[in-house]
PDB file of all heavy atoms in Angstrom:
ATOM      1  N   LEU A  93     139.191  85.644  87.322  1.00 97.00           N
ATOM      2  CA  LEU A  93     137.719  85.574  87.290  1.00 97.00           C
ATOM      3  C   LEU A  93     137.198  85.545  85.862  1.00 97.00           C
ATOM      4  O   LEU A  93     137.741  86.245  84.979  1.00 97.00           O
ATOM      5  CB  LEU A  93     137.140  86.808  87.996  1.00 97.00           C
ATOM      6  CG  LEU A  93     137.498  86.930  89.475  1.00 97.00           C
ATOM      7  CD1 LEU A  93     137.462  88.368  89.930  1.00 97.00           C
ATOM      8  CD2 LEU A  93     136.563  86.087  90.314  1.00 97.00           C
ATOM      9  N   ARG A  94     136.169  84.761  85.654  1.00 97.00           N
ATOM     10  CA  ARG A  94     135.579  84.674  84.333  1.00 97.00           C
ATOM     11  C   ARG A  94     134.072  84.582  84.442  1.00 97.00           C
ATOM     12  O   ARG A  94     133.550  83.823  85.270  1.00 97.00           O
ATOM     13  CB  ARG A  94     136.132  83.419  83.625  1.00 97.00           C
ATOM     14  CG  ARG A  94     135.851  83.406  82.146  1.00 97.00           C
ATOM     15  CD  ARG A  94     136.771  82.359  81.511  1.00 97.00           C
ATOM     16  NE  ARG A  94     136.031  81.123  81.266  1.00 97.00           N
ATOM     17  CZ  ARG A  94     135.247  80.935  80.216  1.00 97.00           C
ATOM     18  NH1 ARG A  94     135.108  81.889  79.306  1.00 97.00           N
ATOM     19  NH2 ARG A  94     134.613  79.803  80.068  1.00 97.00           N
ATOM     20  N   SER A  95     133.356  85.381  83.644  1.00 96.00           N
ATOM     21  CA  SER A  95     131.903  85.255  83.576  1.00 96.00           C
ATOM     22  C   SER A  95     131.525  84.723  82.196  1.00 96.00           C
ATOM     23  O   SER A  95     131.768  85.404  81.191  1.00 96.00           O
ATOM     24  CB  SER A  95     131.240  86.626  83.813  1.00 96.00           C
ATOM     25  OG  SER A  95     129.897  86.540  83.387  1.00 96.00           O
ATOM     26  N   VAL A  96     130.994  83.553  82.152  1.00 95.00           N
ATOM     27  CA  VAL A  96     130.671  82.911  80.872  1.00 95.00           C
ATOM     28  C   VAL A  96     129.592  83.720  80.141  1.00 95.00           C
ATOM     29  O   VAL A  96     129.712  84.018  78.968  1.00 95.00           O
ATOM     30  CB  VAL A  96     130.179  81.457  81.109  1.00 95.00           C
ATOM     31  CG1 VAL A  96     129.703  80.813  79.830  1.00 95.00           C
ATOM     32  CG2 VAL A  96     131.289  80.641  81.761  1.00 95.00           C
ATOM     33  N   ASN A  97     128.548  84.113  80.861  1.00 91.00           N
ATOM     34  CA  ASN A  97     127.426  84.801  80.214  1.00 91.00           C
ATOM     35  C   ASN A  97     127.746  86.212  79.781  1.00 91.00           C
ATOM     36  O   ASN A  97     127.243  86.683  78.773  1.00 91.00           O
ATOM     37  CB  ASN A  97     126.225  84.881  81.172  1.00 91.00           C
ATOM     38  CG  ASN A  97     125.963  83.541  81.812  1.00 91.00           C
ATOM     39  OD1 ASN A  97     126.524  83.255  82.866  1.00 91.00           O
ATOM     40  ND2 ASN A  97     125.166  82.723  81.171  1.00 91.00           N
ATOM     41  N   LEU A  98     128.594  86.900  80.540  1.00 92.00           N
ATOM     42  CA  LEU A  98     128.887  88.300  80.199  1.00 92.00           C
ATOM     43  C   LEU A  98     130.123  88.416  79.307  1.00 92.00           C
ATOM     44  O   LEU A  98     130.497  89.529  78.921  1.00 92.00           O
ATOM     45  CB  LEU A  98     129.106  89.111  81.479  1.00 92.00           C
ATOM     46  CG  LEU A  98     127.930  89.134  82.467  1.00 92.00           C
ATOM     47  CD1 LEU A  98     128.295  89.908  83.724  1.00 92.00           C
ATOM     48  CD2 LEU A  98     126.686  89.761  81.822  1.00 92.00           C
ATOM     49  N   ASN A  99     130.754  87.277  78.989  1.00 94.00           N
ATOM     50  CA  ASN A  99     131.984  87.290  78.164  1.00 94.00           C
ATOM     51  C   ASN A  99     133.040  88.214  78.757  1.00 94.00           C
ATOM     52  O   ASN A  99     133.615  89.059  78.050  1.00 94.00           O
ATOM     53  CB  ASN A  99     131.684  87.738  76.730  1.00 94.00           C
ATOM     54  CG  ASN A  99     130.934  86.658  75.983  1.00 94.00           C
ATOM     55  OD1 ASN A  99     131.249  85.475  76.101  1.00 94.00           O
ATOM     56  ND2 ASN A  99     129.907  87.061  75.257  1.00 94.00           N
ATOM     57  N   LEU A 100     133.273  88.075  80.023  1.00 96.00           N
ATOM     58  CA  LEU A 100     134.268  88.913  80.693  1.00 96.00           C
ATOM     59  C   LEU A 100     135.263  88.014  81.408  1.00 96.00           C
ATOM     60  O   LEU A 100     134.883  86.964  81.930  1.00 96.00           O
ATOM     61  CB  LEU A 100     133.617  89.819  81.734  1.00 96.00           C
ATOM     62  CG  LEU A 100     132.611  90.862  81.247  1.00 96.00           C
ATOM     63  CD1 LEU A 100     131.925  91.511  82.456  1.00 96.00           C
ATOM     64  CD2 LEU A 100     133.292  91.925  80.391  1.00 96.00           C
ATOM     65  N   ALA A 101     136.510  88.443  81.415  1.00 97.00           N
ATOM     66  CA  ALA A 101     137.522  87.715  82.198  1.00 97.00           C
ATOM     67  C   ALA A 101     138.591  88.719  82.623  1.00 97.00           C
ATOM     68  O   ALA A 101     138.827  89.716  81.949  1.00 97.00           O
ATOM     69  CB  ALA A 101     138.128  86.589  81.378  1.00 97.00           C
ATOM     70  N   GLY A 102     139.177  88.456  83.764  1.00 96.00           N
ATOM     71  CA  GLY A 102     140.218  89.363  84.257  1.00 96.00           C
ATOM     72  C   GLY A 102     140.896  88.774  85.463  1.00 96.00           C
ATOM     73  O   GLY A 102     140.480  87.732  85.999  1.00 96.00           O
ATOM     74  N   CYS A 103     141.955  89.476  85.876  1.00 96.00           N
ATOM     75  CA  CYS A 103     142.794  88.912  86.930  1.00 96.00           C
ATOM     76  C   CYS A 103     143.189  90.003  87.937  1.00 96.00           C
ATOM     77  O   CYS A 103     143.578  91.109  87.528  1.00 96.00           O
ATOM     78  CB  CYS A 103     144.039  88.339  86.223  1.00 96.00           C
ATOM     79  SG  CYS A 103     145.196  87.660  87.337  1.00 96.00           S
ATOM     80  N   PHE A 104     143.047  89.714  89.200  1.00 95.00           N
ATOM     81  CA  PHE A 104     143.532  90.627  90.256  1.00 95.00           C
ATOM     82  C   PHE A 104     144.842  90.077  90.785  1.00 95.00           C
ATOM     83  O   PHE A 104     144.950  88.887  91.127  1.00 95.00           O
ATOM     84  CB  PHE A 104     142.559  90.686  91.430  1.00 95.00           C
ATOM     85  CG  PHE A 104     141.302  91.464  91.152  1.00 95.00           C
ATOM     86  CD1 PHE A 104     140.132  90.813  90.781  1.00 95.00           C
ATOM     87  CD2 PHE A 104     141.293  92.847  91.256  1.00 95.00           C
ATOM     88  CE1 PHE A 104     138.962  91.534  90.543  1.00 95.00           C
ATOM     89  CE2 PHE A 104     140.126  93.582  91.022  1.00 95.00           C
ATOM     90  CZ  PHE A 104     138.972  92.910  90.657  1.00 95.00           C
ATOM     91  N   GLU A 105     145.849  90.945  90.831  1.00 91.00           N
ATOM     92  CA  GLU A 105     147.117  90.505  91.422  1.00 91.00           C
ATOM     93  C   GLU A 105     147.701  91.666  92.205  1.00 91.00           C
ATOM     94  O   GLU A 105     147.869  92.755  91.650  1.00 91.00           O
ATOM     95  CB  GLU A 105     148.095  90.089  90.303  1.00 91.00           C
ATOM     96  CG  GLU A 105     149.283  89.360  90.876  1.00 91.00           C
ATOM     97  CD  GLU A 105     150.278  88.955  89.790  1.00 91.00           C
ATOM     98  OE1 GLU A 105     150.115  89.380  88.629  1.00 91.00           O
ATOM     99  OE2 GLU A 105     151.246  88.262  90.131  1.00 91.00           O
ATOM    100  N   THR A 106     147.961  91.438  93.463  1.00 83.00           N
ATOM    101  CA  THR A 106     148.448  92.437  94.409  1.00 83.00           C
ATOM    102  C   THR A 106     147.797  93.811  94.184  1.00 83.00           C
ATOM    103  O   THR A 106     148.461  94.822  93.979  1.00 83.00           O
ATOM    104  CB  THR A 106     149.999  92.583  94.339  1.00 83.00           C
ATOM    105  OG1 THR A 106     150.360  92.849  92.978  1.00 83.00           O
ATOM    106  CG2 THR A 106     150.700  91.366  94.873  1.00 83.00           C
ATOM    107  N   GLY A 107     146.475  93.809  94.176  1.00 77.00           N
ATOM    108  CA  GLY A 107     145.730  95.060  94.099  1.00 77.00           C
ATOM    109  C   GLY A 107     145.487  95.571  92.694  1.00 77.00           C
ATOM    110  O   GLY A 107     144.652  96.449  92.477  1.00 77.00           O
ATOM    111  N   PHE A 108     146.201  95.060  91.709  1.00 91.00           N
ATOM    112  CA  PHE A 108     146.016  95.530  90.331  1.00 91.00           C
ATOM    113  C   PHE A 108     145.050  94.613  89.588  1.00 91.00           C
ATOM    114  O   PHE A 108     145.029  93.407  89.792  1.00 91.00           O
ATOM    115  CB  PHE A 108     147.349  95.572  89.578  1.00 91.00           C
ATOM    116  CG  PHE A 108     148.238  96.651  90.116  1.00 91.00           C
ATOM    117  CD1 PHE A 108     149.272  96.352  90.994  1.00 91.00           C
ATOM    118  CD2 PHE A 108     148.036  97.981  89.745  1.00 91.00           C
ATOM    119  CE1 PHE A 108     150.071  97.336  91.498  1.00 91.00           C
ATOM    120  CE2 PHE A 108     148.847  98.992  90.249  1.00 91.00           C
ATOM    121  CZ  PHE A 108     149.870  98.667  91.135  1.00 91.00           C
ATOM    122  N   PHE A 109     144.298  95.229  88.648  1.00 93.00           N
ATOM    123  CA  PHE A 109     143.380  94.446  87.857  1.00 93.00           C
ATOM    124  C   PHE A 109     143.787  94.481  86.395  1.00 93.00           C
ATOM    125  O   PHE A 109     144.069  95.551  85.852  1.00 93.00           O
ATOM    126  CB  PHE A 109     141.952  95.005  87.985  1.00 93.00           C
ATOM    127  CG  PHE A 109     140.951  94.254  87.159  1.00 93.00           C
ATOM    128  CD1 PHE A 109     140.588  92.957  87.482  1.00 93.00           C
ATOM    129  CD2 PHE A 109     140.379  94.842  86.025  1.00 93.00           C
ATOM    130  CE1 PHE A 109     139.675  92.252  86.702  1.00 93.00           C
ATOM    131  CE2 PHE A 109     139.472  94.152  85.246  1.00 93.00           C
ATOM    132  CZ  PHE A 109     139.126  92.846  85.581  1.00 93.00           C
ATOM    133  N   LYS A 110     143.820  93.328  85.764  1.00 94.00           N
ATOM    134  CA  LYS A 110     144.147  93.251  84.342  1.00 94.00           C
ATOM    135  C   LYS A 110     143.016  92.522  83.642  1.00 94.00           C
ATOM    136  O   LYS A 110     142.681  91.389  83.990  1.00 94.00           O
ATOM    137  CB  LYS A 110     145.463  92.471  84.176  1.00 94.00           C
ATOM    138  CG  LYS A 110     145.979  92.472  82.787  1.00 94.00           C
ATOM    139  CD  LYS A 110     147.428  91.966  82.803  1.00 94.00           C
ATOM    140  CE  LYS A 110     147.884  91.589  81.406  1.00 94.00           C
ATOM    141  NZ  LYS A 110     147.431  90.295  80.967  1.00 94.00           N
ATOM    142  N   VAL A 111     142.406  93.221  82.642  1.00 95.00           N
ATOM    143  CA  VAL A 111     141.302  92.582  81.935  1.00 95.00           C
ATOM    144  C   VAL A 111     141.859  91.602  80.882  1.00 95.00           C
ATOM    145  O   VAL A 111     142.910  91.869  80.288  1.00 95.00           O
ATOM    146  CB  VAL A 111     140.382  93.654  81.279  1.00 95.00           C
ATOM    147  CG1 VAL A 111     141.045  94.320  80.105  1.00 95.00           C
ATOM    148  CG2 VAL A 111     139.040  93.060  80.870  1.00 95.00           C
ATOM    149  N   GLU A 112     141.167  90.500  80.688  1.00 94.00           N
ATOM    150  CA  GLU A 112     141.611  89.532  79.672  1.00 94.00           C
ATOM    151  C   GLU A 112     140.552  89.324  78.606  1.00 94.00           C
ATOM    152  O   GLU A 112     140.828  88.836  77.529  1.00 94.00           O
ATOM    153  CB  GLU A 112     141.962  88.191  80.326  1.00 94.00           C
ATOM    154  CG  GLU A 112     142.988  88.387  81.412  1.00 94.00           C
ATOM    155  CD  GLU A 112     143.954  87.234  81.545  1.00 94.00           C
ATOM    156  OE1 GLU A 112     143.668  86.172  80.995  1.00 94.00           O
ATOM    157  OE2 GLU A 112     145.002  87.420  82.208  1.00 94.00           O
ATOM    158  N   GLN A 113     139.330  89.684  78.916  1.00 96.00           N
ATOM    159  CA  GLN A 113     138.240  89.578  77.935  1.00 96.00           C
ATOM    160  C   GLN A 113     137.200  90.649  78.296  1.00 96.00           C
ATOM    161  O   GLN A 113     136.819  90.781  79.461  1.00 96.00           O
ATOM    162  CB  GLN A 113     137.609  88.181  78.016  1.00 96.00           C
ATOM    163  CG  GLN A 113     136.689  87.869  76.870  1.00 96.00           C
ATOM    164  CD  GLN A 113     136.015  86.495  77.062  1.00 96.00           C
ATOM    165  OE1 GLN A 113     136.298  85.772  77.994  1.00 96.00           O
ATOM    166  NE2 GLN A 113     135.124  86.174  76.161  1.00 96.00           N
ATOM    167  N   GLY A 114     136.716  91.428  77.275  1.00 95.00           N
ATOM    168  CA  GLY A 114     135.714  92.462  77.514  1.00 95.00           C
ATOM    169  C   GLY A 114     136.353  93.790  77.895  1.00 95.00           C
ATOM    170  O   GLY A 114     137.575  93.934  77.881  1.00 95.00           O
ATOM    171  N   GLY A 115     135.497  94.769  78.250  1.00 95.00           N
ATOM    172  CA  GLY A 115     135.994  96.107  78.598  1.00 95.00           C
ATOM    173  C   GLY A 115     136.495  96.140  80.035  1.00 95.00           C
ATOM    174  O   GLY A 115     135.923  95.500  80.915  1.00 95.00           O
TER     175      GLY A 115
END
Side-chain angles (χ1 to χ4, degrees):
L93 297 154
R94 194 164 100 82
S95 164
V96 174
N97 313 89
L98 302 177
N99 288 318
L100 296 172
C103 179
F104 286 98
E105 192 181 8
T106 54
F108 291 100
F109 178 70
K110 187 167 165 281
V111 71
E112 305 214 344
Q113 192 184 356

